[in-house]
Amino acid sequence: MMNRAVIEGSALAVLALSILTIWFRARYKARPASDGGYLTREELQFELGRLQDEALRWLTTTNHREIGILYIAFGTIAALWGGMDAMMLRTELLTPPADIWTPETYNALFTTHGLTMLIFFVLPVFFGIGNYFLPLLIGADDMAFPRVNAIGFWLLPPALLMARFGLIVQIGGQVLSIFLPDDQIMFFLSLREVSVGWTLYAPLSVVQPNPQIDLLLLGLHLSGIATTVGAINFIATVIYERADGVTWGNLDIFSWNMLVTSSIALFAFPLLGSALVMLLLDRNLGTTFFATEGGGPVLWQHLFWFWGHPEVYILFLPATGLMSLILPKFVGRKLFGYQFIVYSTLGLAVMSFGVWAHHMFTSGVDPRLKASFMAISIAIAVPSAIKVFNWLTTMWDGDIKLSAPFILCAGGIGTFIIGGVTGVFLAVIPIDILYHGTYYVVGHFHLIVVGIIPMLMIASSYYWYPILTGRWYDRRLAKFQSGLLIVGAFVTFMILLVIGGMGLPRRQAIYPPEYQLAQQMATVGSYVIGLSAVMWLYNMLVSYWRGDVVQSTDPWNLKATNQFTREWQWFEERMVEKYDMEPAQPETTRRSYAPELEPMGLLGGVGSVAQNVYRNASMAAVAGFIGTFLMTGGIGTAIVIGVLDPASFAEISELVGLGTSAIIGAALFLAGGTIIWPLLFLSFQEFLPGRRMFETGLVFATLVATGFSVAFYTDQQGLAFVGYLTFVFVAHWAYGLGLAVTFQFLRSRRTDMGA
Amino acid sequence: MSDESILFTYIAPFVGVLVVAVGIGAAVPGGYAIIQEDITTCDSPTVAVEGPEETTERFNESRPRTLPTLYYENLSEAEQTAFDEALADPIGEARVTGDFPNGDTIRNGSIIVYEGEEHYATVVAENPCFVAPELQFPLGVFAIIFGVIGILSPPIYRKLVELEERANVE
C-alpha cells in the first residue's frame, strides 16, 4: 500500500511550486527587459522590502475587495487540497480490490475530500466573490463592518489547518521518524486523517480514539464562527449600505441571493456549532448526548442534517444568483421574471429548514414524520424549477454570445437539471431506501456541486476578470476549459448515477469486478475535471501578467443591451480616472465577416503535378529523411517495449526477393520512407483532404499507417495490440508531420532567400 | 484562409486531455505496480485488536460457540508484533508483516488470550499487492506525452500555419 501522507504532501508541494514558478515566470516576462548588468544587493533588498510591505498590507487589510481576493485564494487552495483527495480516491477505484490505498486510507480520503470541499472551498469562494462585488453592486463604499470582515476571513486558515492537521502531523511524524526513535514522537505517530465519513455519524465518531477527530471538530467550529460573522456582515451591508436608488425592488439578484444565503447560514451554523461541542464533550468529558446507551446516535443525525440540508442551499444559492446575473449579459436580454426568482430564492430558504430528515429515511424515524419530510422534499423542487424556467426563458430568442461564461452557464443549467431531477426521486421514501447507500446519491449531488456551483464560480471569474485585473484572460483556453469541465462532470457523474442505479454501494474501497470498466471511465472523467481546473488556474495566473490589456470601459459591450450594471459603472469611472479613457459607446452595427479565401495551390506554384514533383524532389527527399528519422523513434520504442516484432521487417525483404532478412527489410523500409513515400505524397497530396500541407501530411500518414498496421501485425493481443496500433499510428503521424513541415520549412527558406 | 481550425484549436486538445487522463489512469498505478515491492509491504493484512473491556462488551453473554481462542504465546513472531502494535495503536490496528500461520483463524474473528485477558482480533483489510500488466506503465507514459502534444496543438498549429504562410509567399 502506498503512503498516503507522503504522496499527497509531495503532490501538493509540487503543485504549489508549479503555481509559484508560473506566477514568477509570468511576472518576470511581463516586466521591461533589462539593459544588461546583474542584480545588485540594493535591488535585492528593495525586492525583499517590497515583499515585506505587501505581506503586511495583505495581512492587515480591511478593504472589501482585497479581503474578497483573500477569500477566493483561500478557497482555491482548499479546492486544490480537497481535489487532490478526490483524484487519489478515484485512483483507488481504478481496480476492484483495495490494492493502491488501504481501506482505511480510502475512508480518510472521502472524509477529508467532503469536508474540505464543502466547508473550506465553496462558501469561502462565494464569500470572496460577495466581498468583492456585492458592495460594488449595491453602491456601498465597503462592507458594513470592515474589521469584522477581516477577522471573519482570518479565522478560516487556522480552521483549515486544524481540520487537516492529521495529514500535516503524519508527514511530520514520518520525517521525524528518520531521525528519532518512535517512542519519542508518539504524538506525531498517533494522529491521522479522520476516516469516519464527512457526516461524522455517532457512535463511530464518539468511540474512535483518533485525537485528530477532536482537532477536526474544533476546526469546523472555528469555520462555523467565521461563516456566522461573515453572514452577519453581508446582511448588515445589504440592509444598511445600499446606495440611493437601490431598493428591494431593483436590488440585483446576486445580492438578493447573498442576503438569503447569509440568513440561512445565520440560523444553521450556530446549531452545527452546538452539535460539534456536544460531540466534543461526548468524546472527552463523558457526556452521553450521542452515546448508544443514555443518548441517541440518531440525535446527532437530526442536529447534523438540520444544519446539513440548509448548507446545501447555502452552497447552491450564490451560484444561482451568479447565473441570474451573468446569463442575461450573454444573451442580450434582461432576466425573465425577476420577482419570481426572488420569491423562489426566499421560498428555498424557508423550505430548506423543513427537509432535513430526508437524509434519514433509512433510520428509525417515525414513518408519519418521514412522510411529511417527503412531501416538503418533493415540493422544494418547485422553486428550483422556477429558476430553471426563468433562465431558459431568458435565453429564448436571445442573441447568444458563445463565450466561456455563457458556455459555463449553459453547462450549469444542464447539470442542475439532471442533478435536481435525480434528487426528486431520492425525496421519495421507497426509492431513497433502495438507493440511499449507493453511488446514485454520489452522482446526484456531484452533478450540483461539480456542476452549477464551480461552473458559475469559474463563469464569474471570467466575466469579472477585466474588473479584477484590468486584463483579458486567454479566451480560447477559457472556452476550451469550460467545455472540458462540462464534459468531465457529465461523464464522471452520469456514470456514477448509472452504477448506483444498478446497486453499487458507495463509500467502499472494494467493489465487484463487473463494475471495473464503469469505474475506470468515471476515474478518467474525474482526471479530466482535474485537468480543466488546472487549466483555469493557469489561465488566471498567467493572464494576470500577460493577458491583453482591456481597452474599453465596457469590455462586454453591455451598454448595447442596457445592462451596464453598477460594478461596471464603477470600473468605468476608475478607468476614466486612472487612464483617462473615453467612456465606451455601444456599437450600433453588427460586425461583418471577411469572406473565405479560396484555397491556394498547396505547393504554392503553378504547373502540373509532375513539374511540381520534379521541382521539389530534392527537398522531398530531405523531408522524407527527417520524417523517417522521427518515425524510427516511434517504431524503435514499440520494438523496445515489445509491442512490435522486428522480425516482421523480414517480410519486406522477402517481398522484393532478397531473402528473409530483418536488417535488409529495415534498410528497405528506411529507403522507402526517404524516397518513395515522399514522392507519392507530393503527387497525391492535392487530392487529400486538409487545407494546410501538414494537415494533408497527417491524412496521408493515417492512410499509410492503416496499411502498415495490417502488414506488420504479428498476432498481438490485448494491451499489446492497443500499444501496437497506438505506436504505429503515432509513428506515422510523426512521419507525416516531419515530412510536411520540413518540406514547408525548406520552401520558406528558399522563399526568404528569393526575397 | 481563416487561421482558426476547429480541429486543432478545440478537438485535438480535447482528445489530448482525454488521452492524458487515460494515461494518468494507466501510468500512475502501472508505475506503482513496478515499485510497490520496494516501497510498501503489500500482501500483509491489517489486524484489528480490541481491548478486554470492548471484547466483553461486544459479546456480553452471547459469545458464539464457534469463536476460536488462541494464546499469545502460540502466535508467530510477526503475529505477536502486530498484536502488540495494534494494542498501542490509537485505532487498534496493525499490519502483520511476515509469517501469518493463524491467518485463517483470525480472518474470521477470534479471541486472543494475552496476560490472562481476552482480546477480540480480526483481519480488517487484506491489503493485496496491486497487479498490473507490464505494458501499462510505458503505454500510460506514452499516452501522457502524446496527450500533452495534443493539448499543445493550438500553439503548434499556429506556428505551422505561420511557417506555411511564409513558404507560400512567392
Side-chain angles (χ1 to χ4, degrees):
Chain A
M1 302 299 116
M2 277 200 274
N3 186 324
R4 180 253 169 113
V6 169
I7 301 284
E8 186 163 10
S10 315
L12 286 168
V14 168
L15 197 60
L17 271 178
S18 312
I19 290 169
L20 286 175
T21 311
I22 287 171
W23 177 260
F24 283 107
R25 202 165 161 265
R27 179 169 172 255
Y28 179 77
K29 277 192 166 181
R31 293 163 83 183
S34 160
D35 59 349
Y38 44 85
L39 205 63
T40 62
R41 185 185 290 260
E42 286 74 20
E43 273 176 297
L44 208 63
Q45 272 172 350
F46 175 77
E47 188 67 14
L48 283 174
R50 195 187 62 81
L51 282 175
Q52 214 173 353
D53 291 344
E54 286 282 297
L56 191 69
R57 183 167 74 86
W58 283 100
L59 286 168
T60 55
T61 181
T62 56
N63 180 317
H64 71 100
R65 283 181 286 119
E66 288 177 349
I67 292 176
I69 289 171
L70 284 173
Y71 263 117
I72 294 169
F74 172 83
T76 307
I77 290 166
L80 293 175
W81 198 343
M84 191 65 76
D85 292 328
M87 296 298 114
M88 288 165 73
L89 74 87
R90 282 308 321 176
T91 302
E92 170 56 53
L93 294 170
L94 282 168
T95 57
D99 49 6
I100 293 176
W101 314 112
T102 63
E104 196 212 341
T105 304
Y106 178 81
N107 294 348
L109 284 171
F110 71 68
T111 303
T112 50
H113 166 66
L115 285 168
T116 312
M117 288 306 209
L118 291 177
I119 308 279
F120 297 103
F121 158 50
V122 181
L123 201 58
V125 170
F126 282 139
F127 269 20
I129 297 171
N131 249 292
Y132 199 108
F133 291 102
L134 186 138
L136 301 182
L137 284 164
I138 64 171
D141 291 338
D142 202 319
M143 295 291 281
F145 312 117
R147 284 181 182 76
V148 173
N149 199 21
I151 291 169
F153 169 75
W154 285 109
L155 290 179
L156 280 177
L160 175 66
L161 284 181
M162 272 205 271
R164 299 300 307 261
F165 204 55
L167 186 73
I168 299 161
V169 168
Q170 269 178 290
I171 295 172
Q174 280 164 17
V175 173
L176 285 176
S177 67
I178 301 169
F179 310 105
L180 295 167
D182 284 359
D183 53 338
Q184 285 184 19
I185 52 166
M186 271 315 282
F187 169 76
F188 290 94
L189 300 177
S190 61
L191 245 67
R192 62 192 70 173
E193 288 275 50
V194 176
S195 55
V196 299
W198 81 277
T199 50
L200 302 168
Y201 272 4
L204 184 61
S205 56
V206 178
V207 297
Q208 209 184 63
N210 182 4
Q212 172 56 25
I213 295 181
D214 298 309
L215 283 175
L216 170 69
L217 294 176
L218 289 169
L220 293 180
H221 196 43
L222 199 58
S223 84
I225 295 169
T227 306
T228 312
V229 163
I232 291 170
N233 215 347
F234 277 116
I235 294 170
T237 307
V238 175
I239 293 178
Y240 292 109
E241 302 292 326
R242 294 195 312 272
D244 295 337
V246 181
T247 65
W248 293 117
N250 66 10
L251 183 67
D252 68 278
I253 290 285
F254 178 63
S255 300
W256 261 116
N257 276 270
M258 286 307 291
L259 176 69
V260 173
T261 299
S262 303
S263 313
I264 306 176
L266 197 59
F267 284 100
F269 271 90
L271 188 121
L272 175 73
S274 316
L276 292 171
V277 171
M278 286 156 81
L279 191 56
L280 263 177
L281 294 177
D282 264 18
R283 285 179 56 81
N284 297 294
L285 297 178
T287 56
T288 56
F289 295 113
F290 310 122
T292 317
E293 289 166 16
V298 174
L299 174 64
W300 168 262
Q301 295 190 25
H302 277 297
L303 295 176
F304 181 83
W305 287 115
F306 187 83
W307 161 80
H309 202 84
E311 166 72 0
V312 172
Y313 290 93
I314 291 170
L315 304 179
F316 156 74
L317 284 178
T320 66
L322 288 171
M323 175 80 84
S324 301
L325 185 84
I326 295 172
L327 183 68
K329 311 286 163 53
F330 294 89
V331 297
R333 294 192 60 192
K334 290 219 161 152
L335 181 67
F336 184 88
Y338 168 89
Q339 273 181 321
F340 292 97
I341 288 197
V342 172
Y343 291 143
S344 75
T345 307
L346 293 170
L348 282 173
V350 175
M351 292 170 90
S352 72
F353 281 98
V355 294
W356 80 87
H358 72 220
H359 295 273
M360 302 162 60
F361 282 161
T362 53
S363 72
V365 177
D366 187 323
R368 287 165 296 182
L369 277 177
K370 279 187 195 169
S372 71
F373 279 102
M374 177 172 96
I376 305 173
S377 301
I378 294 171
I380 205 168
V382 175
S384 305
I386 289 173
K387 287 183 188 298
V388 172
F389 286 126
N390 281 299
W391 294 330
L392 294 179
T393 323
T394 305
M395 282 198 283
W396 187 265
D397 207 21
D399 177 20
I400 289 173
K401 289 187 197 120
L402 206 64
S403 57
F406 175 79
I407 293 171
L408 287 162
C409 284
I413 295 173
T415 54
F416 178 55
I417 290 174
I418 303 175
V421 169
T422 48
V424 180
F425 289 104
L426 283 175
V428 181
I429 297 170
I431 297 176
D432 181 75
I433 287 172
L434 201 58
Y435 290 123
H436 185 81
T438 70
Y439 273 100
Y440 181 87
V441 180
V442 185
H444 148 66
F445 71 78
H446 275 88
L447 278 166
I448 311 281
V449 293
V450 194
I452 185 169
I453 291 174
M455 285 177 195
L456 264 295
M457 285 175 181
I458 295 176
S460 63
S461 73
Y462 290 143
Y463 174 57
W464 281 320
Y465 201 73
I467 293 187
L468 287 161
T469 63
R471 287 178 187 266
W472 280 107
Y473 54 89
D474 181 336
R475 279 160 279 186
R476 263 189 297 234
L477 180 59
K479 266 193 216 176
F480 178 67
Q481 181 272 334
S482 308
L484 210 56
L485 177 63
I486 294 167
V487 171
F490 265 100
V491 168
T492 307
F493 303 115
M494 292 300 283
I495 289 174
L496 296 194
L497 274 181
V498 173
I499 59 177
M502 291 162 78
L504 186 65
R506 59 177 165 150
R507 298 194 180 120
Q508 304 288 337
I510 300 163
Y511 62 88
E514 57 264 35
Y515 290 99
Q516 185 172 9
L517 181 63
Q519 288 278 31
Q520 284 175 336
M521 284 162 68
T523 298
V524 168
S526 73
Y527 293 154
V528 170
I529 296 172
L531 289 167
S532 85
V534 171
M535 283 180 195
W536 168 80
L537 189 59
Y538 175 84
N539 200 350
M540 292 291 107
L541 295 176
V542 173
S543 301
Y544 180 82
W545 292 107
R546 290 164 61 186
D548 297 337
V549 174
V550 173
Q551 303 284 6
S552 160
T553 61
D554 180 14
W556 291 110
N557 200 21
L558 299 174
K559 286 181 179 173
T561 52
N562 205 16
Q563 300 194 80
F564 197 63
T565 38
R566 278 179 181 273
E567 84 279 27
W568 291 106
Q569 291 166 20
W570 171 85
F571 174 71
E572 183 172 74
E573 277 168 30
R574 205 157 166 244
M575 297 303 263
V576 171
E577 214 171 275
K578 259 177 110 173
Y579 304 113
D580 203 21
M581 277 171 88
E582 284 289 314
Q585 292 303 318
E587 284 177 30
T588 49
T589 50
R590 285 173 71 90
R591 181 171 155 253
S592 59
Y593 295 94
E596 278 282 315
L597 294 173
E598 288 299 310
M600 294 169 73
L602 285 162
L603 288 179
V606 287
S608 68
V609 172
Q611 279 172 320
N612 281 335
V613 172
Y614 174 75
R615 199 174 62 190
N616 296 300
S618 58
M619 287 190 293
V622 177
F625 177 76
I626 303 280
T628 312
F629 179 75
L630 290 173
M631 184 182 188
T632 313
I635 297 288
T637 313
I639 292 170
V640 169
I641 66 167
V643 293
L644 175 64
D645 186 359
S648 54
F649 284 92
E651 286 177 21
I652 304 179
S653 132
E654 201 179 355
L655 196 70
V656 294
L658 292 174
T660 50
S661 163
I663 295 172
I664 296 176
L668 285 169
F669 180 80
L670 291 177
T674 309
I675 303 161
I676 298 169
W677 292 109
L679 291 176
L680 275 176
F681 171 62
L682 290 184
S683 305
F684 291 117
Q685 59 92 22
E686 282 189 51
F687 307 104
L688 293 170
R691 293 179 304 173
R692 308 275 179 187
M693 187 184 250
F694 65 86
E695 290 172 343
T696 51
L698 282 174
V699 174
F700 177 72
T702 309
L703 291 174
V704 177
T706 313
F708 182 99
S709 62
V710 175
F712 286 71
Y713 176 62
T714 49
D715 231 14
Q716 294 92 332
Q717 302 290 331
L719 210 51
F721 181 63
V722 174
Y724 168 70
L725 281 184
T726 311
F727 273 99
V728 165
F729 276 92
V730 173
H732 278 83
W733 288 334
Y735 174 76
L737 268 182
L739 179 67
V741 172
T742 312
F743 187 78
Q744 287 293 47
F745 175 72
L746 294 173
R747 284 188 65 231
S748 72
R749 281 182 51 131
R750 198 181 64 175
T751 309
D752 289 348
M753 280 189 289
Chain B
M1 193 184 295
S2 160
D3 62 350
E4 281 288 307
S5 153
I6 300 284
L7 176 69
F8 288 102
T9 310
Y10 296 108
I11 298 174
F14 177 71
V15 174
V17 171
L18 289 185
V19 173
V20 168
V22 172
I24 295 169
V28 172
Y32 169 61
I34 295 167
I35 57 169
Q36 68 177 332
E37 284 182 17
D38 300 325
I39 63 166
T40 68
T41 51
C42 59
D43 268 343
S44 55
T46 305
V47 177
V49 178
E50 291 181 356
E53 285 172 16
E54 286 166 294
T55 305
T56 315
E57 202 179 309
R58 170 184 285 274
F59 295 110
N60 241 337
E61 289 156 13
S62 58
R63 180 190 295 191
R65 282 185 198 160
T66 50
L67 193 67
T69 302
L70 299 166
Y71 290 89
Y72 180 81
E73 302 75 41
N74 299 337
L75 300 180
S76 73
E77 204 176 314
E79 289 169 340
Q80 286 182 348
T81 311
F83 183 87
D84 296 338
E85 283 174 3
L87 281 186
D89 185 70
I91 61 165
E93 291 180 3
R95 305 280 287 273
V96 184
T97 43
D99 215 10
F100 196 18
N102 295 301
D104 288 340
T105 315
I106 295 175
R107 192 160 277 117
N108 295 322
S110 61
I111 295 291
I112 295 177
V113 181
Y114 174 60
E115 292 180 346
E117 291 182 318
E118 293 189 330
H119 298 263
Y120 177 69
T122 186
V123 170
V124 289
E126 291 289 350
N127 305 325
C129 286
F130 177 73
V131 183
E134 272 182 26
L135 280 175
Q136 188 170 319
F137 178 67
L139 287 184
V141 172
F142 177 73
I144 292 172
I145 296 167
F146 183 53
V148 168
I149 294 171
I151 294 172
L152 295 177
S153 62
I156 296 172
Y157 173 79
R158 288 195 283 274
K159 289 266 178 227
L160 291 178
V161 169
E162 206 178 286
L163 175 73
E164 205 146 312
E165 267 160 15
R166 249 192 302 143
N168 286 332
V169 178
E170 282 189 277

